[in-house]
Amino acid sequence: RMHCMKLLGQRLMARDPDRQVAELQVRVAVMNGFTALGIPVTEAIG
């Protein structure tokens, strides 16, 4: 997962600690969204 995190940028752009936390939360939300898109939905047939 850290490799995926680094693909979104090596550094934090914000300087304020509160904004750094918010920036990381946005990155995690983006990663979770991509992960959710990649999870297959299985349905029973029959």
Side-chain angles (χ1 to χ4, degrees):
R1 290 284 149 211
M2 285 307 295
H3 173 70
C4 296
M5 192 73 157
K6 288 183 178 181
L7 288 176
L8 295 173
Q10 291 284 337
R11 297 182 181 183
L12 296 175
M13 301 301 282
R15 292 186 180 208
D16 182 46
D18 292 333
R19 292 184 184 195
Q20 287 178 350
V21 170
E23 186 176 339
L24 287 174
Q25 288 174 342
V26 168
R27 288 184 187 191
V28 169
V30 169
M31 281 183 24
N32 288 340
F34 285 140
T35 300
L37 288 173
I39 295 175
V41 177
T42 56
E43 296 179 8
I45 299 175

mmCIF file of all heavy atoms in Angstrom:
data_model
loop_
_atom_site.group_PDB
_atom_site.id
_atom_site.type_symbol
_atom_site.label_atom_id
_atom_site.label_comp_id
_atom_site.label_asym_id
_atom_site.label_seq_id
_atom_site.Cartn_x
_atom_site.Cartn_y
_atom_site.Cartn_z
ATOM 1 N N ARG A 1 0.811 -1.198 0.000
ATOM 2 C CA ARG A 1 0.000 0.000 0.000
ATOM 3 C C ARG A 1 0.858 1.267 0.000
ATOM 4 O O ARG A 1 0.431 2.269 -0.508
ATOM 5 C CB ARG A 1 -0.922 0.010 1.209
ATOM 6 C CG ARG A 1 -2.002 -0.998 1.136
ATOM 7 C CD ARG A 1 -3.070 -0.522 0.176
ATOM 8 N NE ARG A 1 -3.677 -1.667 -0.455
ATOM 9 C CZ ARG A 1 -4.159 -1.656 -1.671
ATOM 10 N NH1 ARG A 1 -4.110 -0.588 -2.382
ATOM 11 N NH2 ARG A 1 -4.682 -2.716 -2.187
ATOM 12 N N MET A 2 2.020 1.216 0.597
ATOM 13 C CA MET A 2 2.852 2.423 0.616
ATOM 14 C C MET A 2 3.301 2.787 -0.801
ATOM 15 O O MET A 2 3.441 3.962 -1.116
ATOM 16 C CB MET A 2 4.069 2.224 1.520
ATOM 17 C CG MET A 2 3.735 2.283 2.998
ATOM 18 S SD MET A 2 2.826 3.760 3.473
ATOM 19 C CE MET A 2 4.013 5.033 3.166
ATOM 20 N N HIS A 3 3.494 1.773 -1.661
ATOM 21 C CA HIS A 3 3.852 2.064 -3.050
ATOM 22 C C HIS A 3 2.731 2.874 -3.712
ATOM 23 O O HIS A 3 2.999 3.852 -4.416
ATOM 24 C CB HIS A 3 4.097 0.769 -3.810
ATOM 25 C CG HIS A 3 4.303 0.973 -5.275
ATOM 26 N ND1 HIS A 3 5.428 1.571 -5.783
ATOM 27 C CD2 HIS A 3 3.511 0.697 -6.334
ATOM 28 C CE1 HIS A 3 5.336 1.640 -7.100
ATOM 29 N NE2 HIS A 3 4.169 1.113 -7.456
ATOM 30 N N CYS A 4 1.486 2.486 -3.483
ATOM 31 C CA CYS A 4 0.345 3.218 -4.042
ATOM 32 C C CYS A 4 0.284 4.626 -3.471
ATOM 33 O O CYS A 4 -0.043 5.578 -4.180
ATOM 34 C CB CYS A 4 -0.953 2.473 -3.750
ATOM 35 S SG CYS A 4 -1.058 0.868 -4.538
ATOM 36 N N MET A 5 0.590 4.747 -2.198
ATOM 37 C CA MET A 5 0.571 6.062 -1.549
ATOM 38 C C MET A 5 1.619 6.970 -2.186
ATOM 39 O O MET A 5 1.367 8.154 -2.429
ATOM 40 C CB MET A 5 0.843 5.884 -0.055
ATOM 41 C CG MET A 5 0.574 7.077 0.748
ATOM 42 S SD MET A 5 -1.182 7.316 0.895
ATOM 43 C CE MET A 5 -1.212 8.264 2.352
ATOM 44 N N LYS A 6 2.787 6.425 -2.492
ATOM 45 C CA LYS A 6 3.855 7.223 -3.082
ATOM 46 C C LYS A 6 3.550 7.598 -4.520
ATOM 47 O O LYS A 6 4.054 8.604 -5.010
ATOM 48 C CB LYS A 6 5.180 6.472 -2.991
ATOM 49 C CG LYS A 6 5.714 6.419 -1.582
ATOM 50 C CD LYS A 6 7.067 5.738 -1.538
ATOM 51 C CE LYS A 6 7.603 5.737 -0.127
ATOM 52 N NZ LYS A 6 8.924 5.115 -0.056
ATOM 53 N N LEU A 7 2.711 6.813 -5.199
ATOM 54 C CA LEU A 7 2.338 7.167 -6.563
ATOM 55 C C LEU A 7 1.511 8.454 -6.596
ATOM 56 O O LEU A 7 1.483 9.151 -7.607
ATOM 57 C CB LEU A 7 1.536 6.031 -7.213
ATOM 58 C CG LEU A 7 2.323 4.781 -7.574
ATOM 59 C CD1 LEU A 7 1.385 3.717 -8.121
ATOM 60 C CD2 LEU A 7 3.414 5.094 -8.580
ATOM 61 N N LEU A 8 0.847 8.775 -5.506
ATOM 62 C CA LEU A 8 0.064 10.003 -5.417
ATOM 63 C C LEU A 8 0.925 11.217 -5.081
ATOM 64 O O LEU A 8 0.430 12.324 -4.997
ATOM 65 C CB LEU A 8 -1.043 9.847 -4.365
ATOM 66 C CG LEU A 8 -2.104 8.809 -4.687
ATOM 67 C CD1 LEU A 8 -3.044 8.633 -3.511
ATOM 68 C CD2 LEU A 8 -2.876 9.192 -5.928
ATOM 69 N N GLY A 9 2.202 11.005 -4.883
ATOM 70 C CA GLY A 9 3.114 12.115 -4.599
ATOM 71 C C GLY A 9 4.080 11.740 -3.493
ATOM 72 O O GLY A 9 3.703 11.103 -2.521
ATOM 73 N N GLN A 10 5.313 12.141 -3.656
ATOM 74 C CA GLN A 10 6.344 11.808 -2.678
ATOM 75 C C GLN A 10 6.281 12.697 -1.448
ATOM 76 O O GLN A 10 6.667 12.294 -0.369
ATOM 77 C CB GLN A 10 7.734 11.940 -3.309
ATOM 78 C CG GLN A 10 8.029 10.889 -4.353
ATOM 79 C CD GLN A 10 8.339 9.546 -3.738
ATOM 80 O OE1 GLN A 10 8.739 9.458 -2.583
ATOM 81 N NE2 GLN A 10 8.141 8.495 -4.493
ATOM 82 N N ARG A 11 5.806 13.916 -1.601
ATOM 83 C CA ARG A 11 5.853 14.888 -0.511
ATOM 84 C C ARG A 11 4.465 15.432 -0.216
ATOM 85 O O ARG A 11 3.585 15.415 -1.056
ATOM 86 C CB ARG A 11 6.750 16.057 -0.880
ATOM 87 C CG ARG A 11 8.176 15.674 -1.096
ATOM 88 C CD ARG A 11 8.983 16.893 -1.403
ATOM 89 N NE ARG A 11 10.373 16.507 -1.640
ATOM 90 C CZ ARG A 11 11.334 17.353 -1.880
ATOM 91 N NH1 ARG A 11 11.072 18.638 -1.931
ATOM 92 N NH2 ARG A 11 12.558 16.934 -2.073
ATOM 93 N N LEU A 12 4.334 15.948 0.979
ATOM 94 C CA LEU A 12 3.122 16.667 1.339
ATOM 95 C C LEU A 12 3.291 18.119 0.905
ATOM 96 O O LEU A 12 4.345 18.712 1.081
ATOM 97 C CB LEU A 12 2.882 16.605 2.846
ATOM 98 C CG LEU A 12 2.611 15.226 3.431
ATOM 99 C CD1 LEU A 12 2.515 15.319 4.944
ATOM 100 C CD2 LEU A 12 1.340 14.664 2.859
ATOM 101 N N MET A 13 2.247 18.675 0.328
ATOM 102 C CA MET A 13 2.316 20.055 -0.134
ATOM 103 C C MET A 13 2.044 21.039 1.007
ATOM 104 O O MET A 13 2.583 22.137 1.014
ATOM 105 C CB MET A 13 1.304 20.281 -1.260
ATOM 106 C CG MET A 13 1.532 19.368 -2.455
ATOM 107 S SD MET A 13 3.153 19.549 -3.206
ATOM 108 C CE MET A 13 2.906 21.032 -4.121
ATOM 109 N N ALA A 14 1.221 20.638 1.963
ATOM 110 C CA ALA A 14 0.836 21.529 3.056
ATOM 111 C C ALA A 14 1.971 21.642 4.082
ATOM 112 O O ALA A 14 2.716 20.699 4.302
ATOM 113 C CB ALA A 14 -0.419 21.004 3.732
ATOM 114 N N ARG A 15 2.042 22.786 4.701
ATOM 115 C CA ARG A 15 3.053 23.000 5.746
ATOM 116 C C ARG A 15 2.456 22.916 7.140
ATOM 117 O O ARG A 15 3.132 22.537 8.083
ATOM 118 C CB ARG A 15 3.720 24.352 5.553
ATOM 119 C CG ARG A 15 4.571 24.394 4.302
ATOM 120 C CD ARG A 15 5.322 25.684 4.229
ATOM 121 N NE ARG A 15 6.135 25.723 3.009
ATOM 122 C CZ ARG A 15 7.234 26.406 2.897
ATOM 123 N NH1 ARG A 15 7.658 27.143 3.895
ATOM 124 N NH2 ARG A 15 7.925 26.391 1.793
ATOM 125 N N ASP A 16 1.214 23.289 7.269
ATOM 126 C CA ASP A 16 0.528 23.267 8.554
ATOM 127 C C ASP A 16 0.192 21.818 8.922
ATOM 128 O O ASP A 16 -0.309 21.069 8.077
ATOM 129 C CB ASP A 16 -0.759 24.094 8.458
ATOM 130 C CG ASP A 16 -1.507 24.164 9.764
ATOM 131 O OD1 ASP A 16 -0.862 24.405 10.800
ATOM 132 O OD2 ASP A 16 -2.737 23.973 9.742
ATOM 133 N N PRO A 17 0.478 21.379 10.149
ATOM 134 C CA PRO A 17 0.219 19.976 10.526
ATOM 135 C C PRO A 17 -1.241 19.538 10.342
ATOM 136 O O PRO A 17 -1.503 18.418 9.911
ATOM 137 C CB PRO A 17 0.615 19.931 12.005
ATOM 138 C CG PRO A 17 1.601 21.026 12.171
ATOM 139 C CD PRO A 17 1.174 22.095 11.213
ATOM 140 N N ASP A 18 -2.195 20.432 10.632
ATOM 141 C CA ASP A 18 -3.597 20.073 10.444
ATOM 142 C C ASP A 18 -3.917 19.848 8.970
ATOM 143 O O ASP A 18 -4.665 18.934 8.608
ATOM 144 C CB ASP A 18 -4.516 21.164 11.006
ATOM 145 C CG ASP A 18 -4.439 21.250 12.525
ATOM 146 O OD1 ASP A 18 -4.125 20.212 13.156
ATOM 147 O OD2 ASP A 18 -4.685 22.337 13.063
ATOM 148 N N ARG A 19 -3.346 20.656 8.120
ATOM 149 C CA ARG A 19 -3.571 20.498 6.678
ATOM 150 C C ARG A 19 -2.851 19.272 6.140
ATOM 151 O O ARG A 19 -3.317 18.649 5.193
ATOM 152 C CB ARG A 19 -3.141 21.755 5.943
ATOM 153 C CG ARG A 19 -4.047 22.920 6.255
ATOM 154 C CD ARG A 19 -3.691 24.133 5.477
ATOM 155 N NE ARG A 19 -4.537 25.240 5.878
ATOM 156 C CZ ARG A 19 -4.667 26.351 5.193
ATOM 157 N NH1 ARG A 19 -4.014 26.512 4.078
ATOM 158 N NH2 ARG A 19 -5.453 27.307 5.626
ATOM 159 N N GLN A 20 -1.707 18.910 6.731
ATOM 160 C CA GLN A 20 -1.018 17.693 6.329
ATOM 161 C C GLN A 20 -1.880 16.471 6.624
ATOM 162 O O GLN A 20 -1.968 15.560 5.806
ATOM 163 C CB GLN A 20 0.327 17.574 7.051
ATOM 164 C CG GLN A 20 1.376 18.527 6.557
ATOM 165 C CD GLN A 20 2.682 18.411 7.316
ATOM 166 O OE1 GLN A 20 2.765 17.742 8.349
ATOM 167 N NE2 GLN A 20 3.712 19.065 6.821
ATOM 168 N N VAL A 21 -2.525 16.484 7.789
ATOM 169 C CA VAL A 21 -3.418 15.382 8.149
ATOM 170 C C VAL A 21 -4.566 15.294 7.151
ATOM 171 O O VAL A 21 -4.908 14.219 6.664
ATOM 172 C CB VAL A 21 -3.945 15.557 9.593
ATOM 173 C CG1 VAL A 21 -5.045 14.565 9.892
ATOM 174 C CG2 VAL A 21 -2.811 15.413 10.588
ATOM 175 N N ALA A 22 -5.140 16.442 6.811
ATOM 176 C CA ALA A 22 -6.243 16.461 5.845
ATOM 177 C C ALA A 22 -5.777 15.963 4.482
ATOM 178 O O ALA A 22 -6.496 15.210 3.806
ATOM 179 C CB ALA A 22 -6.807 17.873 5.731
ATOM 180 N N GLU A 23 -4.577 16.339 4.076
ATOM 181 C CA GLU A 23 -4.045 15.905 2.784
ATOM 182 C C GLU A 23 -3.865 14.387 2.761
ATOM 183 O O GLU A 23 -4.203 13.725 1.777
ATOM 184 C CB GLU A 23 -2.709 16.607 2.527
ATOM 185 C CG GLU A 23 -2.135 16.339 1.155
ATOM 186 C CD GLU A 23 -0.865 17.116 0.887
ATOM 187 O OE1 GLU A 23 -0.619 18.145 1.552
ATOM 188 O OE2 GLU A 23 -0.105 16.686 0.003
ATOM 189 N N LEU A 24 -3.357 13.832 3.843
ATOM 190 C CA LEU A 24 -3.196 12.374 3.911
ATOM 191 C C LEU A 24 -4.549 11.673 3.918
ATOM 192 O O LEU A 24 -4.702 10.612 3.301
ATOM 193 C CB LEU A 24 -2.390 11.993 5.149
ATOM 194 C CG LEU A 24 -0.901 12.310 5.069
ATOM 195 C CD1 LEU A 24 -0.236 12.032 6.406
ATOM 196 C CD2 LEU A 24 -0.239 11.514 3.975
ATOM 197 N N GLN A 25 -5.536 12.247 4.579
ATOM 198 C CA GLN A 25 -6.864 11.651 4.602
ATOM 199 C C GLN A 25 -7.478 11.637 3.210
ATOM 200 O O GLN A 25 -8.136 10.666 2.820
ATOM 201 C CB GLN A 25 -7.778 12.399 5.575
ATOM 202 C CG GLN A 25 -7.425 12.139 7.014
ATOM 203 C CD GLN A 25 -8.219 12.989 7.990
ATOM 204 O OE1 GLN A 25 -8.802 14.009 7.615
ATOM 205 N NE2 GLN A 25 -8.234 12.583 9.246
ATOM 206 N N VAL A 26 -7.237 12.677 2.423
ATOM 207 C CA VAL A 26 -7.734 12.713 1.050
ATOM 208 C C VAL A 26 -7.048 11.630 0.223
ATOM 209 O O VAL A 26 -7.694 10.921 -0.550
ATOM 210 C CB VAL A 26 -7.514 14.112 0.428
ATOM 211 C CG1 VAL A 26 -7.757 14.080 -1.067
ATOM 212 C CG2 VAL A 26 -8.410 15.127 1.103
ATOM 213 N N ARG A 27 -5.745 11.483 0.394
ATOM 214 C CA ARG A 27 -5.017 10.442 -0.357
ATOM 215 C C ARG A 27 -5.531 9.050 -0.011
ATOM 216 O O ARG A 27 -5.700 8.208 -0.892
ATOM 217 C CB ARG A 27 -3.520 10.522 -0.063
ATOM 218 C CG ARG A 27 -2.859 11.714 -0.678
ATOM 219 C CD ARG A 27 -1.365 11.673 -0.419
ATOM 220 N NE ARG A 27 -0.730 12.898 -0.858
ATOM 221 C CZ ARG A 27 0.583 13.046 -0.941
ATOM 222 N NH1 ARG A 27 1.383 12.070 -0.600
ATOM 223 N NH2 ARG A 27 1.092 14.184 -1.353
ATOM 224 N N VAL A 28 -5.774 8.799 1.262
ATOM 225 C CA VAL A 28 -6.288 7.498 1.689
ATOM 226 C C VAL A 28 -7.687 7.275 1.125
ATOM 227 O O VAL A 28 -8.017 6.174 0.677
ATOM 228 C CB VAL A 28 -6.273 7.379 3.226
ATOM 229 C CG1 VAL A 28 -7.033 6.166 3.691
ATOM 230 C CG2 VAL A 28 -4.837 7.330 3.726
ATOM 231 N N ALA A 29 -8.506 8.313 1.091
ATOM 232 C CA ALA A 29 -9.857 8.197 0.539
ATOM 233 C C ALA A 29 -9.797 7.867 -0.952
ATOM 234 O O ALA A 29 -10.583 7.041 -1.443
ATOM 235 C CB ALA A 29 -10.637 9.488 0.765
ATOM 236 N N VAL A 30 -8.878 8.473 -1.675
ATOM 237 C CA VAL A 30 -8.708 8.176 -3.100
ATOM 238 C C VAL A 30 -8.275 6.720 -3.288
ATOM 239 O O VAL A 30 -8.811 6.001 -4.125
ATOM 240 C CB VAL A 30 -7.689 9.146 -3.743
ATOM 241 C CG1 VAL A 30 -7.294 8.687 -5.130
ATOM 242 C CG2 VAL A 30 -8.257 10.549 -3.792
ATOM 243 N N MET A 31 -7.306 6.279 -2.481
ATOM 244 C CA MET A 31 -6.850 4.886 -2.575
ATOM 245 C C MET A 31 -7.981 3.916 -2.258
ATOM 246 O O MET A 31 -8.136 2.895 -2.945
ATOM 247 C CB MET A 31 -5.676 4.636 -1.615
ATOM 248 C CG MET A 31 -4.373 5.133 -2.136
ATOM 249 S SD MET A 31 -2.953 4.784 -1.049
ATOM 250 C CE MET A 31 -3.425 3.418 -0.091
ATOM 251 N N ASN A 32 -8.780 4.210 -1.236
ATOM 252 C CA ASN A 32 -9.901 3.338 -0.880
ATOM 253 C C ASN A 32 -10.933 3.303 -1.993
ATOM 254 O O ASN A 32 -11.530 2.257 -2.260
ATOM 255 C CB ASN A 32 -10.542 3.788 0.429
ATOM 256 C CG ASN A 32 -9.667 3.482 1.623
ATOM 257 O OD1 ASN A 32 -8.791 2.641 1.563
ATOM 258 N ND2 ASN A 32 -9.902 4.196 2.706
ATOM 259 N N GLY A 33 -11.142 4.429 -2.661
ATOM 260 C CA GLY A 33 -12.072 4.462 -3.790
ATOM 261 C C GLY A 33 -11.606 3.584 -4.924
ATOM 262 O O GLY A 33 -12.398 2.842 -5.527
ATOM 263 N N PHE A 34 -10.320 3.639 -5.254
ATOM 264 C CA PHE A 34 -9.778 2.795 -6.315
ATOM 265 C C PHE A 34 -9.833 1.324 -5.924
ATOM 266 O O PHE A 34 -10.104 0.467 -6.762
ATOM 267 C CB PHE A 34 -8.337 3.195 -6.655
ATOM 268 C CG PHE A 34 -8.237 4.463 -7.447
ATOM 269 C CD1 PHE A 34 -7.248 5.378 -7.177
ATOM 270 C CD2 PHE A 34 -9.132 4.759 -8.458
ATOM 271 C CE1 PHE A 34 -7.135 6.555 -7.903
ATOM 272 C CE2 PHE A 34 -9.037 5.932 -9.197
ATOM 273 C CZ PHE A 34 -8.030 6.824 -8.911
ATOM 274 N N THR A 35 -9.589 1.031 -4.661
ATOM 275 C CA THR A 35 -9.656 -0.346 -4.191
ATOM 276 C C THR A 35 -11.085 -0.871 -4.299
ATOM 277 O O THR A 35 -11.321 -2.005 -4.729
ATOM 278 C CB THR A 35 -9.171 -0.450 -2.735
ATOM 279 O OG1 THR A 35 -7.822 0.016 -2.681
ATOM 280 C CG2 THR A 35 -9.214 -1.876 -2.231
ATOM 281 N N ALA A 36 -12.054 -0.044 -3.936
ATOM 282 C CA ALA A 36 -13.460 -0.449 -4.013
ATOM 283 C C ALA A 36 -13.873 -0.712 -5.457
ATOM 284 O O ALA A 36 -14.677 -1.619 -5.731
ATOM 285 C CB ALA A 36 -14.348 0.621 -3.395
ATOM 286 N N LEU A 37 -13.334 0.041 -6.400
ATOM 287 C CA LEU A 37 -13.654 -0.179 -7.809
ATOM 288 C C LEU A 37 -13.095 -1.509 -8.313
ATOM 289 O O LEU A 37 -13.656 -2.118 -9.222
ATOM 290 C CB LEU A 37 -13.092 0.961 -8.669
ATOM 291 C CG LEU A 37 -13.796 2.296 -8.535
ATOM 292 C CD1 LEU A 37 -13.024 3.362 -9.316
ATOM 293 C CD2 LEU A 37 -15.215 2.213 -9.027
ATOM 294 N N GLY A 38 -11.992 -1.956 -7.717
ATOM 295 C CA GLY A 38 -11.342 -3.167 -8.184
ATOM 296 C C GLY A 38 -11.864 -4.453 -7.539
ATOM 297 O O GLY A 38 -11.488 -5.542 -7.951
ATOM 298 N N ILE A 39 -12.742 -4.358 -6.535
ATOM 299 C CA ILE A 39 -13.250 -5.535 -5.866
ATOM 300 C C ILE A 39 -14.433 -6.091 -6.665
ATOM 301 O O ILE A 39 -15.398 -5.388 -6.928
ATOM 302 C CB ILE A 39 -13.710 -5.208 -4.428
ATOM 303 C CG1 ILE A 39 -12.495 -4.793 -3.592
ATOM 304 C CG2 ILE A 39 -14.414 -6.404 -3.789
ATOM 305 C CD1 ILE A 39 -12.846 -4.321 -2.192
ATOM 306 N N PRO A 40 -14.359 -7.350 -7.090
ATOM 307 C CA PRO A 40 -15.444 -7.915 -7.884
ATOM 308 C C PRO A 40 -16.691 -8.172 -7.035
ATOM 309 O O PRO A 40 -16.608 -8.463 -5.840
ATOM 310 C CB PRO A 40 -14.866 -9.232 -8.399
ATOM 311 C CG PRO A 40 -13.833 -9.606 -7.411
ATOM 312 C CD PRO A 40 -13.273 -8.295 -6.881
ATOM 313 N N VAL A 41 -17.833 -8.028 -7.672
ATOM 314 C CA VAL A 41 -19.113 -8.321 -7.014
ATOM 315 C C VAL A 41 -19.564 -9.696 -7.506
ATOM 316 O O VAL A 41 -19.775 -9.897 -8.692
ATOM 317 C CB VAL A 41 -20.173 -7.249 -7.370
ATOM 318 C CG1 VAL A 41 -21.510 -7.600 -6.750
ATOM 319 C CG2 VAL A 41 -19.706 -5.883 -6.934
ATOM 320 N N THR A 42 -19.667 -10.653 -6.578
ATOM 321 C CA THR A 42 -20.077 -12.005 -6.950
ATOM 322 C C THR A 42 -21.541 -12.210 -6.605
ATOM 323 O O THR A 42 -22.010 -11.784 -5.548
ATOM 324 C CB THR A 42 -19.219 -13.057 -6.236
ATOM 325 O OG1 THR A 42 -19.294 -12.828 -4.833
ATOM 326 C CG2 THR A 42 -17.763 -12.952 -6.652
ATOM 327 N N GLU A 43 -22.247 -12.846 -7.530
ATOM 328 C CA GLU A 43 -23.654 -13.127 -7.320
ATOM 329 C C GLU A 43 -23.901 -14.606 -7.583
ATOM 330 O O GLU A 43 -23.338 -15.173 -8.523
ATOM 331 C CB GLU A 43 -24.514 -12.292 -8.269
ATOM 332 C CG GLU A 43 -24.410 -10.805 -8.031
ATOM 333 C CD GLU A 43 -25.251 -10.002 -8.999
ATOM 334 O OE1 GLU A 43 -26.036 -10.619 -9.761
ATOM 335 O OE2 GLU A 43 -25.127 -8.771 -8.999
ATOM 336 N N ALA A 44 -24.750 -15.194 -6.767
ATOM 337 C CA ALA A 44 -25.107 -16.602 -6.948
ATOM 338 C C ALA A 44 -26.059 -16.720 -8.151
ATOM 339 O O ALA A 44 -26.986 -15.930 -8.297
ATOM 340 C CB ALA A 44 -25.781 -17.144 -5.710
ATOM 341 N N ILE A 45 -25.809 -17.698 -8.984
ATOM 342 C CA ILE A 45 -26.660 -17.951 -10.159
ATOM 343 C C ILE A 45 -27.368 -19.274 -9.943
ATOM 344 O O ILE A 45 -26.758 -20.283 -9.647
ATOM 345 C CB ILE A 45 -25.825 -17.990 -11.456
ATOM 346 C CG1 ILE A 45 -25.147 -16.653 -11.657
ATOM 347 C CG2 ILE A 45 -26.689 -18.349 -12.631
ATOM 348 C CD1 ILE A 45 -24.217 -16.612 -12.839
ATOM 349 N N GLY A 46 -28.649 -19.245 -10.137
ATOM 350 C CA GLY A 46 -29.411 -20.497 -10.072
ATOM 351 C C GLY A 46 -30.274 -20.678 -8.920
ATOM 352 O O GLY A 46 -30.506 -20.430 -7.898
#
